[in-house]
Amino acid sequence: EVQLVESGGGLVQPGGSLRLSCAASGFIFSSYWMSWVRQAPGKGLEWVANMKQDGSEKYYVDSVKGRFTISRDNAKNSLYLQMNSLRAEDTAVYYCARASSSSWWNWGQGTLVTVSS
Amino acid sequence: SYELTQPPSVSVSPGQTASITCSGDELGDKYACWYQQKSGQSPVLVIYHGTKRPSGIPERFSGSTSGNTATLTISGTQAMDEADYYCQAWDSSTGVFGGGTKLTVL
């Protein structure tokens, strides 16, 4: 059974940093693109970042470029999102998702990030 | 930037057919997919590559594409289908979601 478990969310002040982690199991992690998708409270889904299997390609939504960094450790079956210079508008539930055939087939339960003073 | 447009809400009576549209430039060429998100839960993929249904998704869910529009159709809608539905596509390696459609089964 595929499992994706996010962690690392919490309350952070504007301008602060946070690192999210996603522990994957039940599939060959190194064979799949992985993504972060977020959802602000009461709002719709927003793709945040993607990373290729070997880390050679990374893509970001414009609003986080230069502030967020996606990374992965295939030996640890883990995906990460380093978030710097956080803003109030980054407040959201952040989901880790496994990609295949241009779709996200599995999602974690999400971790809440709240940016507030 | 690329945009996908969905109606904010759709209502349907139990047992009837619900159709949710998603429009975007050349969407028919972009392998649109659909996600269902019930209140307080993570999204679930219900249609991929425009028309394909993952295993475990009921046959009453179907997808179609034509030109600039993708459509999610739920035949014989059940109360358990009440949820938010999001279309999604890729544009130049950028993921784009529609704004979401709240399906109400009354």
Side-chain angles (χ1 to χ4, degrees):
Chain A
E1 178 193 4
V2 172
Q3 282 201 320
L4 298 169
V5 180
E6 302 95 337
S7 61
L11 175 63
V12 61
Q13 292 188 339
S17 298
L18 215 52
R19 188 194 195 208
L20 305 184
S21 299
C22 170
S25 61
F27 65 101
I28 302 174
F29 181 75
S30 59
S31 295
Y32 292 90
W33 281 77
M34 294 296 296
S35 304
W36 289 98
V37 176
R38 68 184 177 182
Q39 186 170 35
K43 303 297 184 181
L45 299 171
E46 180 182 39
W47 167 77
V48 175
N50 264 358
M51 188 168 189
K52 195 175 179 179
Q53 292 92 325
D54 61 0
S56 61
E57 296 182 39
K58 306 177 186 181
Y59 300 96
Y60 300 91
V61 67
D62 284 348
S63 60
V64 308
K65 285 179 182 176
R67 300 188 300 123
F68 289 12
T69 302
I70 188 172
S71 62
R72 63 193 295 164
D73 185 335
N74 287 340
K76 294 183 177 180
N77 291 337
S78 294
L79 181 73
Y80 306 101
L81 187 67
Q82 177 67 43
M83 303 186 296
N84 299 331
S85 303
L86 282 161
R87 306 166 180 167
E89 53 265 35
D90 296 318
T91 294
V93 172
Y94 284 74
Y95 295 101
C96 164
R98 180 180 75 111
S100 180
S101 301
S102 301
S103 299
W104 290 297
W105 288 70
N106 304 95
W107 299 65
Q109 85 289 348
T111 186
L112 177 62
V113 172
T114 302
V115 184
S116 175
S117 54
Chain B
S1 62
Y2 192 76
E3 293 185 357
L4 295 174
T5 302
Q6 299 179 233
S9 63
V10 168
S11 297
V12 64
S13 300
Q16 299 303 302
T17 297
S19 295
I20 300 173
T21 59
C22 174
S23 61
D25 287 344
E26 300 180 342
L27 182 56
D29 298 332
K30 294 183 182 295
Y31 292 136
C33 56
W34 292 90
Y35 299 90
Q36 175 195 67
Q37 187 180 34
K38 296 183 179 180
S39 181
Q41 297 184 19
S42 300
V44 172
L45 179 67
V46 294
I47 295 291
Y48 69 102
H49 278 196
T51 61
K52 300 181 179 180
R53 191 176 56 249
S55 61
I57 300 301
E59 291 185 7
R60 63 180 180 274
F61 288 87
S62 63
S64 62
T65 58
S66 178
N68 294 336
T69 302
T71 303
L72 173 68
T73 302
I74 309 172
S75 304
T77 307
Q78 300 182 10
M80 68 172 65
D81 300 328
E82 187 162 286
D84 293 324
Y85 291 85
Y86 295 90
C87 63
Q88 184 264 322
W90 293 93
D91 181 68
S92 300
S93 300
T94 297
V96 180
F97 284 98
T101 298
K102 182 175 183 58
L103 178 67
T104 301
V105 183
L106 7 102

